[in-house]
């Protein structure tokens, strides 16, 4: 080793005799030391570590030999510390011994004993640098370990934050959902409408809110139970989500109310309304009690924000609800009147018809025997017959026989009505005209009762005509119902009489009994239908009849209801008849 170092020294002395070459060697060695130390992590991957350390040591030794400065020791120390800052303890000790040996040989040669104190000081400095390097390496290792632990902790914290955020979003989403159907509740629906309106305002689109209320839901709960009502709500929610477009927002709130929000034009609105009718119409085949009312509002024509939009739809829904409740109250009141009239009619029929027959026979016998009575016979007998006709109408009003439902062609039924009334119309100088649909309409109903209704209404129309008038009948099938319109261009009904036309005994005809429209109203109601009247004095009257095409729910109700005993009409005495007459005066 010593010989090798001496030979290397002689070589360096020979090469660097010239001062310029010497300084060039010093600068080159310095640059290589800096580059090797700076890029040690990049270049060290291509050269074995011990070889890389030897190359660095070679340039350090060259710098030391050429410069001969006293501070070259610090070059050794700094290079050693920087070069081995991440090596193991064993490699650091070996490199220290190697650096110390090269430094000692270059500075003191083999006469170490002559400069023992200097060598010892240098050794202590190398030892101190080695210990410091080992300590720094271990401190760095601990720091890296702590950083790794902190990184893992941060990952765990981020993961916990992410799970917490997902949980909060899940809770918020749950709070926006209806517990039974999974649809949005009212607050969730408001939020969705607000977001949709923000998008519509940017894109210039229209937005609609439709509020839906199940009118007979409370009756379903009372008759079939709460579980059946809940199942019905779930079924409606499922069908609405399935049949409506994916972008429609559907909500359920206040028990039996639904709300739908959707973006689009009028066709999208009509599609939504048709879908609602399809869903509810499908459930009508399973349950007889299934009616609804709706309220709608549109953005931006009628409202400018979600609160105004929903409030307007709710307001229109409440108006429709009040109208339906009023109709139900009027229907109930009218049925109570008819019930009272029916019981009175039964009593009157029993108490009056038999004595009336006796009176009529007595008058006929007396007229044959007495000229004085004969001259009054033509007056008394028609009046008695008129009373008898009135009693017959009373009896017809009180009839409680169950309707005989059959399938028949409405077109043929109306043809029969026209053939029956056409001679009367011709004699009166008026015209009867029918407007049949393109395809036949088949309905399930009591044909005789429906025929009676049509005869009564067409005949009333003929009697209201003046000069040469016309009565027209139109009918058509609308979804699961049939619509029949009887229209005349007669004198019309005064507005003050419109609310009383279906009341028993109310009539504006001089020879009328006021029972015809009451009987018509009862028949239509028993068929599960409705009748509406519009009239303008001097322009005519229109009766609109709406009947269900199928009566499955109706027959099912009649089968489930216990048979009611027909009151023993013959047991009514005069005091009961008087009491019922007094009761009718209160209507």
């Amino acid at each position: 080793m010593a010989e090798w170092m001496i030979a290397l020294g002689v070589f360096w002395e020979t090469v660097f005799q010239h001062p310029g070459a010497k300084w060039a060697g010093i600068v080159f060695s310095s640059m290589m030391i800096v580059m090797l130390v700076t890029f040690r992590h990049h270049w060290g991957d291509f050269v074995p570590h011990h070889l890389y350390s030897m190359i660095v040591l070679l340039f350090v030794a060259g710098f030391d030999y050429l410069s001969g400065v006293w501070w070259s020791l610090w070059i050794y120390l700094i290079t050693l510390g920087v070069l081995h800052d991440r090596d193991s303890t064993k490699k650091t000790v070996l490199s220290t011994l190697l650096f110390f040996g090269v430094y000692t040989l270059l500075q003191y040669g083999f006469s170490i004993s002559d400069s023992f104190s200097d060598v010892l000081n240098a050794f202590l400095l190398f030892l101190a640098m080695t210990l410091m390097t080992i300590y720094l390496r271990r401190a760095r290792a601990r720091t890296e370990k702590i950083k790794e632990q902190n990184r893992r902790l941060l990952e765990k914290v981020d993961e916990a934050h992410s799970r917490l955020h997902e949980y909060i979003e899940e809770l918020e989403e749950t709070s926006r959902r209806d517990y039974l159907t999974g649809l949005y509740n009212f607050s969730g629906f408001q939020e969705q409408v607000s977001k949709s309106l923000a998008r519509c305002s940017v894109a210039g689109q229209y937005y609609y809110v439709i509020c839906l209320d199940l009118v007979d839901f409370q009756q379903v709960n009372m008759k079939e139970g709460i579980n059946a009502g809940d199942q019905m709500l779930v079924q409606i929610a499922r069908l609405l989500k399935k049949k409506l477009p994916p972008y429609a927002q559907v909500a359920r709130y206040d028990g039996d109310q639904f709300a739908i929000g959707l973006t689009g034009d009028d066709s999208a609105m009509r599609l939504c309304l048709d879908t609602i009718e399809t869903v509810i119409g499908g459930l009508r085949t399973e349950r007889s009690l299934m009616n609804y009312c709706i309220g709608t509002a549109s953005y931006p024509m009628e409202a400018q924000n979600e609160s105004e939009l929903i409030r307007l739809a709710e307001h229109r829904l409440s108006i429709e609800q009040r109208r339906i409740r009023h109709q139900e109250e009027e229907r109930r009141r009218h049925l109570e009147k008819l019930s009272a009239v029916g019981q009175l009619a039964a009593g009157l029929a029993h108490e009056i018809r038999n004595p009336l027959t006796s009176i009529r026979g007595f008058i006929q016998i007396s007229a044959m025997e007495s000229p004085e009575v004969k001259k009054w016979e033509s007056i008394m007998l028609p009046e008695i017959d008129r009373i008898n006709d009135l009693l017959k109408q009373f009896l017809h009003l009180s009839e409680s026989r169950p309707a005989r439902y059959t399938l028949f062609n409405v077109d043929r039924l109306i043809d029969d009505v026209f053939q029956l009334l056409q001679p009367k119309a011709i004699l009166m100088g008026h015209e009867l005209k029918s407007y049949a649909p393109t395809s036949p309409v088949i309905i399930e109903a009591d044909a005789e009762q429906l025929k009676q209704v049509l005869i009564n209404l067409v005949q009333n129309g003929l009697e209201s005509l003046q000069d040469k008038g016309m009565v027209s009948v139109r009918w058509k099938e609308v979804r699961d119902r049939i619509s029949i319109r009887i229209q005349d261009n007669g004198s019309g009904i005064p507005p003050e009489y419109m609310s009383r036309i279906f009341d028993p005994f109310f009539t504006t005809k001089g020879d009328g009994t006021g029972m015809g429209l009451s009987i018509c109203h009862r028949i239509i109601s028993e068929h599960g239908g409705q009748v509406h009247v519009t009239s303008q004095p001097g322009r005519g009257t229109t009766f609109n009849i709406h009947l269900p095409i199928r009566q499955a729910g109706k027959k099912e109700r009649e089968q489930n209801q216990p048979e009611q005993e027909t009151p023993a009409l013959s047991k009514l005495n005069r005091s009961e008849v008087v009491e019922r007459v007094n009761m009718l005066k209160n209507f």
Side-chain angles (χ1 to χ4, degrees), residues 340-411:
V341 170
Q343 296 180 26
L344 174 62
L348 288 174
H350 176 71
E351 297 294 335
I352 298 177
R353 290 189 74 184
N354 291 336
L356 195 63
T357 303
S358 300
I359 293 172
R360 193 178 195 282
F362 175 76
I363 291 175
Q364 289 176 331
I365 294 173
S366 299
M368 295 172 61
E369 297 177 355
S370 173
E372 295 296 330
V373 177
K374 182 67 176 178
K375 64 180 180 180
W376 299 107
E377 181 184 17
S378 61
I379 297 175
M380 289 187 291
L381 290 182
E383 291 300 322
I384 291 174
D385 291 338
R386 186 168 179 269
I387 295 174
N388 194 39
D389 290 338
L390 179 60
L391 291 177
K392 288 181 181 179
Q393 293 195 45
F394 280 166
L395 285 174
H396 187 76
L397 181 66
S398 64
E399 281 184 347
S400 59
R401 70 169 180 86
R404 292 185 287 269
Y405 295 110
T406 58
L407 290 173
F408 60 90
N409 192 328
V410 178
D411 304 11

Side-chain angles (χ1 to χ4, degrees), residues 22-40:
K22 183 177 182 179
W23 281 106
I26 293 173
V27 173
F28 177 74
S29 299
S30 302
M31 292 176 59
M32 290 303 299
I33 293 171
V34 173
M35 292 176 62
L36 289 171
V37 171
T38 303
F39 300 102
R40 64 189 183 279

Side-chain angles (χ1 to χ4, degrees), residues 1-10 61 101-102 105-106 110:
M1 182 69 180
E3 294 177 355
W4 181 81
M5 294 297 297
I6 293 172
L8 182 62
V10 172
V102 171
L105 288 176
L106 290 178
F110 293 98

Side-chain angles (χ1 to χ4, degrees), residues 40 75-86 129 133:
R40 64 189 183 279
I75 301 296
Y76 284 91
L77 295 175
I78 293 172
T79 304
L80 177 66
V82 174
L83 191 64
H84 300 282
D85 59 340
R86 297 186 180 181
M129 178 59 69
T133 302

Side-chain angles (χ1 to χ4, degrees), residues 20 31 55 60 68 106 201 220 228 231 286 290 315 320 378 418 428 431 448 462 501 519 544 580:
M31 292 176 59
I55 294 173
V60 172
L106 290 178
S201 62
V220 173
Q231 291 176 3
E286 303 175 8
M290 186 56 61
H315 176 67
E320 188 69 13
S378 61
F418 271 52
M428 297 175 66
E431 180 184 2
E448 292 300 322
L462 290 173
I501 59 174
I519 294 172
N544 291 288
R580 296 177 192 276

